[in-house]
Amino acid sequence: MSRSTPRLGALPGVFLLAGAFLTGVLLFAHGGCQGAARAQRPTQGPTADAGSETVSVQVLAFNDFHGQLEPPGGSNGQIQTGVDADGGPVRVSAGGASYFAKHLADLRATNPNTVVVAAGDLIGASPLLSGLFHDEPTIEAMNLIGLDLVAVGNHEFDEGSTELLRMQAGGCHPVDGCLDGDGFAGAKFKFLAANVATGADRTLFPRYDVREFEGVKVAFIGMTLEGTPQIVTPTGVAGLAFQDEVETVNALVPQLRQQGVEAIIVVVHEGGVPAPGSLINECRGKGEGGGISGPIVAIAKGLDDAVDVIVTGHTHQAYNCVIDGKVVTSAASAGRLVTDIDLTLSKATGDVVETKANNLIVTRDVTEDGPVKELVTRYQQLATPLANRVIGWVAETLKTPFTQADPAGQSTLGFVIADSQLAATRAANLGGARVAFMNPGGVRADIAQGEVTFGEAFTTQPFGNSLVTLTLTGAQIEELLERQWQQVGPNVVTRILHPSAGFTYAFSASAPIGGRIDPASIRLDGEPLDAAATYRVTVNNFLAGGGDGFAVLTQGTNRLGGAIDSDALEAYLKAHSSQSSPLAAPALDRITALP
């Protein structure tokens, strides 16, 4: 373990625990990458002499673990290592918590001055093995692995800030209790949330943590993306303010320097986008100078030059860059990579003399970590009976919006989910719905052809959202459809809602934002939508609260709560499929894309 002295990095009183339940990753390094090393930059103190006495500090970083305790399957469990003679990708299997733990332990053994950090989405949108137990298994696994610090990400707020506080403090779930039959002690590591404000000069978790190595201080500032409220259930972040990432860090730099800190690492749940086919230690993309693109580029350029390293996440990509003199890294997702960041610090000045970063593959050719394997096995035994329960059959693989190649953004699974939600709320006493809409981000995994298990259905919809039926006018439904394209800074974010059967419309992708829908094309059960008439509409509670920027849904009246989304899907599959007559995939003909 690290020979360091940790210091909670928040002003007095800013670590809020009120409301919490206070009861008891084989080396692969691609040559020529931009981010292999960085020379020291000028600082406000004396310039470090590379020949002076130094101390070595190792930072092991990862991001977007998403409760992936078991080795992920398919392409989600692979990392590209190169290309073959025909130009196709060469991949290696990667990930799994017991392998991840072994790789981290081996790396930690190389340097006693080691800190393990995670850049958000450690939990949330998790597979059944973790999600079924409210992600307590992942917290317990990370305690065993030796995680030190984690910046909050948007998915940490999936069950709300109070539940997130329970992840830190411990205690059984207020409704479900401790489902594994014993208590929950909470995280031994620290959550950080520098830009998540609960009030004036108060943050949900500490802003930063300062560690001291042989007399040299290193600060870790943890943040999520400022846009978190637009991509989580609004009730989950009620009362919280998500502040600008650059302004937050730059305001903290003087405070840290007053404490004698010259080495600053930012751990932030925001990221960049490399070029397709990029290898894990490259920095290729469509950005300036052929580098990566995405929000992290502007953030890196805006951060004070006192920042030395930026550990990133959110986009589930791998890259190793130098942007504006700062090392910027990301380790893909699901525990398939770990970033080994080696810092050389001057004992005389505290400055960073040299930084080297390498993304390493969490291969499965090592001995699994015993305690972590035992923990995973125990939860598998608890979850397997429920996970393997067959709830229906499908005639072909149902695809998500991210795996279905459709020019209009349609997907077979998105449509089936929308159909299930309409079926669950069509009866007058259950809402009297005429149409349902499903957000694409809530459809997380394909459902394979053949029998469908509860575990597969849970993985597809892991959030446990409830259905809400509300009244909208035809004009408000048209406004809802127009909000599928939103201007966010210089970019247009597209989120195609999936309507239930009987609802059709057309859009022009080349038309201006706000005028892409052809009003005359909108039909419900074959009839034109009447702008002045009212309609009963079903969505999940995430959308009903204005999630993903669909604020018009907050104007819906006569709201009626309904079933949990996964229960609605299960009921639909049971009613519309059998082993001899599996559910057919719906046609992709509800949305028409025009020039």
Side-chain angles (χ1 to χ4, degrees), residues 17-35:
L17 275 177
F21 297 90
L22 296 178
T23 57
V25 208
L26 177 85
L27 171 65
F28 171 75
H30 181 79
C33 69
Q34 258 186 299

Side-chain angles (χ1 to χ4, degrees), residues 44-64:
Q44 292 183 354
T47 301
D49 179 0
S52 66
E53 188 178 7
T54 61
V55 57
S56 173
V57 173
Q58 178 178 240
V59 178
L60 303 178
F62 63 101
N63 53 275
D64 297 275

